[in-house]
Amino acid sequence: MQIPFTVAPRPDTGVNNAKLGVWLFLASEVMLFGGLFSAYIFLRIGAPEWPGMVGGHAYERASDILNVPLATLNTMVLIGSSVTMVMSWASLAMQRFDRYRLYMGATIALGFVFLVVKAFEYGEKFSHGYLPAENNFLAIYFVLTGLHGLHVIGGILVNMYFMWPGARMWKTDPKRFTNRIEIAGLYWHFVDLVWIFLFPTIYLL
Amino acid sequence: MADHAAVPEGHHGEDGHHESFWRKYIFSTDHKVIGIQYGITSLLFLLFGFSLVMLMRWQLAYPGQPVPLIGWLFSDDTMPGGIMLPEFYNQLGAMHGTIMVFLGIVPLAVGAFGNYVVPLQIGAPDMAFPKLNMASYWVFFVGGVIMLGSFFVPAGAAKAGWTSYAPLSVIESMGQTMWLISMVFLITSSLLGAVNFLTTIVQLRADGMGFMQMPFFVWAQFITSFLLLLAFPPLEAAAVLQLSDRLLDTSFFMPSGLVVSGEVVDVAGGGSPLLWQHLFWFLAHPEVYVLVLPAMGIVAEIIANNARKPLKGYKVLVYSLVFLGFMSFIVWAHHMFITGMGQVMSTFFQTTTMIISVPSVIILTALFLSLWGGSIRFTTPMLFALGFLPMFGIGGLTGLPLGLAATDIPLHDTYYVIGHFHYVVAPGTILALMGGIYYWFPKMTGRTMNDTLGKIHFWGTLVSMNFIFFPMLIQGLAGVSRRLYDGGQIYAHAQDVLVYNEVMSIAAWVLFVFQIPFIVNLLVSMKKGKAAADNHWNATTLEWSAAPSPPVGHGNFRDLPTVYRDPYEYSHPDHDEDYWPQDVPPAEASEN
């Protein structure tokens, strides 16, 4: 049994199954993060001061608590990884599997850099006793960035699969493999995009 | 199941290997097997959820008296000496709602019927992502196991109602954590399912099947999947926030200065219990339509087939469905009129609520009108479909006073609300789902269910359900609150309507007795039922006209069908037979 339109797009819809599937999945992800962002707005509107009391000290700006330079660095890292992700897909489209390996490797490495920086940031907070239970600002900070971090980890796992075991498909079905990288890329760009909303919302506003 | 052992030999040759038992029945990627897995699991959960409420009904009818026959089975933490503790009553109530909605009806309506029927009706060999489909079932299964397991943790299962309102749910015992983790699994499962259904319906329709040639059931599943896709994630977000409140001591839903048992709770505070309600109802109102739309789809199929005429106003039905799906996202706060969220909000949400009743009424009316002038066959599935119409009508009409702030405020949290939504879901959706089982059973197994037993099941169910739920409306109008451990005995205003407690309880147990013929019928007919023809009901849709009964193991059809006409061409003047299947080529073509 063969399921139609796994590789070639269906003529009247113009997409293949996986591409439609990933867009639908991303729509639900928008609703997930949308729910959390709404919670953020709801809590902030209801709060007398924001970010408020942390460690017995009243703060007026989120940037006084959080490490903006590190987060800026992380923003650059994620944007860079999105670029290398596109390059890895483009390399496959140009039949350059060696370059695909290079760019995919860079994407994975940048993903890890993001996580290491994030872990450093978390560690800094923990060492000051800034825990999620401290106040609602830190709570939403940890939940939102934590959930985003889980998405990054998920993306790295997917990319590592396509870097090594999944890459065997290049030999048997190159077109389908290229599609898979495109789809993994759509997810990776989404994770990047979430951060681009997260960064100003939590760190700067 | 037995039916898949009888799959035609052809496909074994194609695959070139014999599949192991595990691949074929347990970790199958065939949408039909997964549909049946969902069906069996969810029917068991429905029975379990029903058992919980049968226990509760004893306490409501005879408060403080030991439960006869089975009372000794329970531990001292739940029912010492057979007498139910209030804490256990609360567990039963919360778990009844949760299990019926998330583990019973949704997986039966979407997981079972959607999985089994949708690919067949659109002429697809399988779902677009078979492995994802399997994952969706097993994630659901794990979620179900966690939910059941929560009965056995210290202090038992969740007790904060199926709505898990904060802050009560945050200060609850460990069962609530299990509830939240289980919900995360269930939400993930429906998410995987929804992506799969939408992709399948958009991408895998047979040649010639445009969107307006799809059977109404497929449309219903299509819109339902959109609701699942977009409404469930905010609840997942809410579940994550509540988990964080419980495990990390954050205060998303914890207000400042909350006093529990005379002591101020030691949290940072500043959170909002209302935030939980917003996030919860943003899911849970679309969820109502997730419960109802597949049922409407099933009823439409059965009515068109048994009235032997096309559905009245197919296009209007479809447009109403789409509009309903859209509107269901902006009515959620009509569950929150008494929270004091302000008059502007109330006005907005009661207006949208009145608007959303219009497409519902159009759908119900079109289904009624479809009967007009038909030569109706009163088969067992048709009885269930006909039962659905007035029952859902009562459910819908009793909802109108709840959608308007002025009338909702006195009725809020009374038995009237319970009566209202049970009319929608129990004599409404469940009747339709039962009808669906009788209707598609011949396709799934190649055998028919017994008609006499089916009719006993129908009449017993219909009558006893009304004796359960109608008195609730009366009690509610008298002002009896829901969630009362003693059924309202200590309240003066409840005295006149207390007599109904016993009536409702007896009716609930009678309802159980009338499910026995159904269970026997289902089990016996699988092996011993009369053999069914490929097109048992002389239907026009592809699952009947193009696929054998049961369909081919992998791939459904011997040859993928092509569609030539609309889905319900019954009693067409240009055709000799009274049904004209979608895949039969036009006369000119076949003569050549």
Side-chain angles (χ1 to χ4, degrees), chain A residues 10 13 15 17 28 42 136, chain B residues 130 191 203 205 229-230 270 272:
Chain A
R10 180 179 162 119
T13 61
V15 286
N17 297 344
S28 87
F42 198 96
N136 268 338
Chain B
L191 178 67
Q203 291 286 98
R205 280 165 294 124
L229 183 80
L230 300 177
S272 166

Side-chain angles (χ1 to χ4, degrees), chain A residues 1-6 8-10 12-36 38-40 42-43 46-48 131-144 147 180, chain B residues 14-15 125-130 191 194-195 198-200 202-207 209 211 226 229-231 233-234 236-238 240-241 244-245 248-254 267-272 274-275 278-279 282 329 554-556 560:
Chain A
M1 178 196 56
Q2 189 69 46
I3 292 174
F5 312 116
T6 42
R10 180 179 162 119
D12 57 349
T13 61
V15 286
N16 62 36
N17 297 344
K19 203 185 231 179
L20 180 63
V22 82
W23 277 112
L24 291 167
F25 171 68
L26 293 183
S28 87
E29 291 278 271
V30 168
M31 295 303 286
L32 174 67
F33 282 99
L36 289 170
S38 311
Y40 170 88
F42 198 96
L43 290 170
L131 297 172
E134 193 68 17
N135 77 353
N136 268 338
F137 167 74
L138 281 173
I140 196 90
Y141 161 77
F142 277 110
V143 167
L144 264 172
L147 203 65
R180 287 189 164 186
Chain B
E14 287 162 30
D15 289 358
D126 203 317
M127 297 286 269
F129 309 114
L191 178 67
V195 168
L198 291 168
T199 310
T200 305
V202 172
Q203 291 286 98
L204 301 189
R205 280 165 294 124
D207 282 344
M209 181 176 275
F211 277 96
F226 264 113
L229 183 80
L230 300 177
E236 192 148 23
V240 168
L241 295 179
S244 142
D245 268 8
L248 302 175
D249 294 330
T250 55
S251 313
F252 292 117
F253 306 124
M254 298 294 272
V267 291
S272 166
L274 269 191
L275 175 60
H278 278 296
L279 290 171
F282 185 84
F329 282 100
H554 273 259
N556 294 337
L560 285 183

Side-chain angles (χ1 to χ4, degrees), chain A:
Chain A
M1 178 196 56
Q2 189 69 46
I3 292 174
F5 312 116
T6 42
V7 182
R10 180 179 162 119
D12 57 349
T13 61
V15 286
N16 62 36
N17 297 344
K19 203 185 231 179
L20 180 63
V22 82
W23 277 112
L24 291 167
F25 171 68
L26 293 183
S28 87
E29 291 278 271
V30 168
M31 295 303 286
L32 174 67
F33 282 99
L36 289 170
F37 274 105
S38 311
Y40 170 88
I41 296 168
F42 198 96
L43 290 170
R44 184 164 178 171
I45 289 176
E49 53 199 351
W50 193 265
M53 294 291 286
V54 175
H57 181 57
Y59 286 94
E60 282 179 14
R61 280 194 306 269
S63 52
D64 294 341
I65 305 175
L66 303 177
N67 194 328
V68 177
L70 272 189
T72 314
L73 172 69
N74 252 350
T75 311
M76 296 305 159
V77 168
L78 267 196
I79 292 176
S81 77
S82 259
V83 174
T84 56
M85 190 79 201
V86 174
M87 297 301 283
S88 72
W89 172 65
S91 308
L92 286 181
M94 291 184 286
Q95 314 292 323
R96 293 288 303 273
F97 187 72
D98 54 330
R99 285 226 246 148
Y100 158 75
R101 269 274 160 83
L102 188 71
Y103 285 122
M104 189 52 113
T107 311
I108 294 167
L110 287 169
F112 275 114
V113 170
F114 177 87
L115 288 179
V116 169
V117 172
K118 199 77 230 165
F120 183 76
E121 242 189 291
Y122 274 13
E124 197 190 342
K125 297 287 161 300
F126 293 154
S127 68
H128 286 82
Y130 292 178
L131 297 172
E134 193 68 17
N135 77 353
N136 268 338
F137 167 74
L138 281 173
I140 196 90
Y141 161 77
F142 277 110
V143 167
L144 264 172
T145 55
L147 203 65
H148 176 262
L150 285 179
H151 278 76
V152 173
I153 292 171
I156 290 176
L157 289 177
V158 169
N159 289 347
M160 280 167 62
Y161 173 77
F162 288 129
M163 179 80 180
W164 291 293
R168 280 195 297 256
M169 191 187 244
W170 175 251
K171 295 220 169 59
T172 54
D173 196 349
K175 188 133 184 22
R176 191 168 182 192
F177 184 67
T178 312
N179 286 345
R180 287 189 164 186
I181 300 306
E182 186 185 3
I183 280 152
L186 284 172
Y187 171 76
W188 191 254
H189 300 323
F190 173 81
V191 174
D192 186 10
L193 191 69
V194 170
W195 179 258
I196 288 173
F197 278 93
L198 259 176
F199 172 52
T201 311
I202 293 190
Y203 286 80
L204 304 178
L205 287 176

Side-chain angles (χ1 to χ4, degrees), chain B residues 31-48:
Chain B
H31 74 99
K32 298 185 291 297
V33 178
I34 297 169
I36 288 167
Q37 287 176 326
Y38 262 118
I40 293 171
T41 320
S42 53
L43 281 172
L44 288 175
F45 272 119
L46 277 181
L47 187 63
F48 181 70

